[in-house]
């Protein structure tokens, strides 16, 4: 077995995999193992007792509240993935193929800047913007679009807006990292062959950017599905 591994993987690659393997074991495998074990333990007065029981799984399988919560969170996460995907593609395309290289770094910094602030501060900021007396309603009333404030805060729409704002940089940066390696001559060749912009996007850009799209979608889905701060403050 040792000889087989040495043939398949050079020694340098094996040693390079050691830190990653240790990291995954310590910070992923062991915590997940503990969570699985804890799911069979009993909870009394908010204390976890090492008493084996199947009551936790019985509640999850028989209580309809868990089903509604799960599917509501699933639909919310999928919609955020779709919205960020639609919004991030034009932004990443502009960064790679439209904006001059000397301004590109400044634009990337502007995309990353929201991560410099606290997550709670951003959530509370959206409360101020989306409230009945918030910036959006005041602007719409000033323009004469509405007579009465539109109730946006504490709805699923507000939750989607907040999650989209938080997750859009993740999707954009993943798409940008992949699209940056696309040869611009491919787009020129498609244009010379008579392909319009939508055809060029569908035939050239989309297939070549799929790795970034998959990784970005996974990150956004995990973040949106597991987040509880945004729904509690905005939803």
């Amino acid at each position: 077995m040792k000889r087989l591994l040495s043939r398949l993987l050079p020694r340098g690659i094996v040693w390079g995999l050691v830190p990653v393997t240790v990291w995954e074991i310590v910070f992923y495998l062991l915590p997940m193992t503990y969570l699985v074990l804890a799911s069979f333990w009993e909870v009394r007065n908010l204390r976890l007792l090492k008493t084996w029981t199947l009551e936790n799984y019985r509640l999850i399988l028989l209580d309809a509240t868990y089903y509604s919560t799960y599917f509501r969170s699933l639909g919310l996460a999928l919609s955020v993935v779709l919205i960020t995907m639609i919004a991030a593609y034009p932004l990443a395309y502009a960064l790679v193929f439209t904006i001059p290289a000397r301004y590109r770094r400044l634009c990337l910094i502007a995309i990353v800047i929201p991560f410099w602030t606290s997550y709670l501060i951003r959530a509370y900021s959206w409360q101020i913007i989306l409230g009945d007396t918030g910036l959006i309603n005041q602007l719409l009333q000033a323009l004469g679009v509405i007579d009465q404030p539109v109730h946006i805060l504490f709805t699923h729409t507000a939750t989607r807006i907040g999650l989209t704002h938080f997750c859009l940089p993740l999707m954009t940066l993943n798409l940008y990292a992949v699209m940056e390696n696309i040869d611009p001559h491919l787009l020129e060749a498609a244009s010379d062959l008579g392909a319009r912009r939508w055809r060029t996007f569908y035939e050239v850009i989309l297939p070549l950017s799929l790795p970034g799209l998959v990784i970005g979608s996974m990150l956004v889905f995990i973040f949106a599905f597991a987040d509880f701060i945004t729904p509690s403050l905005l939803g």
Side-chain angles (χ1 to χ4, degrees):
M1 184 68 179
K2 187 176 180 180
R3 291 182 178 180
L4 180 60
L5 288 176
S6 62
R7 290 179 181 179
L8 294 177
L9 295 175
R11 183 174 298 180
I13 297 179
V14 173
W15 283 110
L17 292 175
V18 170
V20 179
T21 304
V22 173
W23 177 277
E24 291 290 334
I25 292 175
V26 173
F27 294 101
Y28 179 76
L29 185 60
L30 292 180
M32 286 299 298
T33 303
Y34 178 79
L35 285 177
V36 172
L37 292 176
S39 67
F40 292 97
W41 293 344
E42 189 176 355
V43 178
R44 291 182 184 176
N45 299 325
L46 302 179
R47 295 181 59 187
L48 192 62
L49 305 178
K50 295 182 180 180
T51 304
W52 298 97
T53 179
L54 295 176
E55 181 65 17
N56 301 326
Y57 286 94
R58 188 189 71 83
L59 288 175
I60 292 176
L61 295 176
L62 298 181
D63 193 341
T65 304
Y66 292 99
Y67 287 101
S68 61
T69 304
Y70 176 83
F71 285 110
R72 188 181 297 115
S73 300
L74 180 63
L76 186 65
L78 292 175
S79 64
V80 172
V81 171
L82 182 61
I83 295 171
T84 54
M85 187 189 309
I86 296 173
Y89 255 111
L91 184 56
Y93 179 89
L95 285 171
V96 176
F97 299 110
T98 304
I99 297 176
R102 60 181 179 274
Y103 300 122
R104 197 171 298 166
R105 184 174 299 178
L106 182 62
C107 294
L108 290 175
I109 293 176
I111 293 175
V112 178
I113 277 179
F115 290 108
W116 297 359
T117 59
S118 171
Y119 184 77
L120 285 174
I121 292 176
R122 285 181 281 166
Y124 280 117
S125 299
W126 277 111
Q127 281 191 346
I128 299 174
I129 296 173
L130 300 176
D132 291 345
T133 59
L135 179 62
I136 293 180
N137 276 306
Q138 289 183 3
L139 181 61
L140 293 177
Q141 286 179 320
L143 295 175
V145 179
I146 58 175
D147 296 328
Q148 298 295 329
V150 178
H151 186 64
I152 305 175
L153 189 61
F154 305 129
T155 63
H156 291 311
T157 301
T159 304
R160 288 187 179 91
I161 293 174
L163 289 174
T164 300
H165 171 248
F166 303 147
C167 297
L168 185 59
L170 297 176
M171 181 71 78
T172 303
L173 293 176
N174 277 280
L175 289 175
Y176 170 81
V178 177
M179 293 172 65
E180 192 179 22
N181 297 319
I182 297 177
D183 190 352
H185 293 94
L186 295 176
L187 306 184
E188 295 177 2
S191 178
D192 293 339
L193 293 173
R196 296 184 177 180
R197 291 186 176 181
W198 282 108
R199 185 68 180 274
T200 302
F201 172 80
Y202 182 75
E203 296 288 346
V204 180
I205 297 177
L206 182 61
L208 294 178
S209 62
L210 276 181
L213 178 62
V214 172
I215 296 174
S217 299
M218 291 176 61
L219 290 175
V220 171
F221 178 83
I222 293 172
F223 186 90
F225 187 79
D227 183 34
F228 65 93
I229 296 178
T230 301
S232 62
L233 295 180
L234 302 179

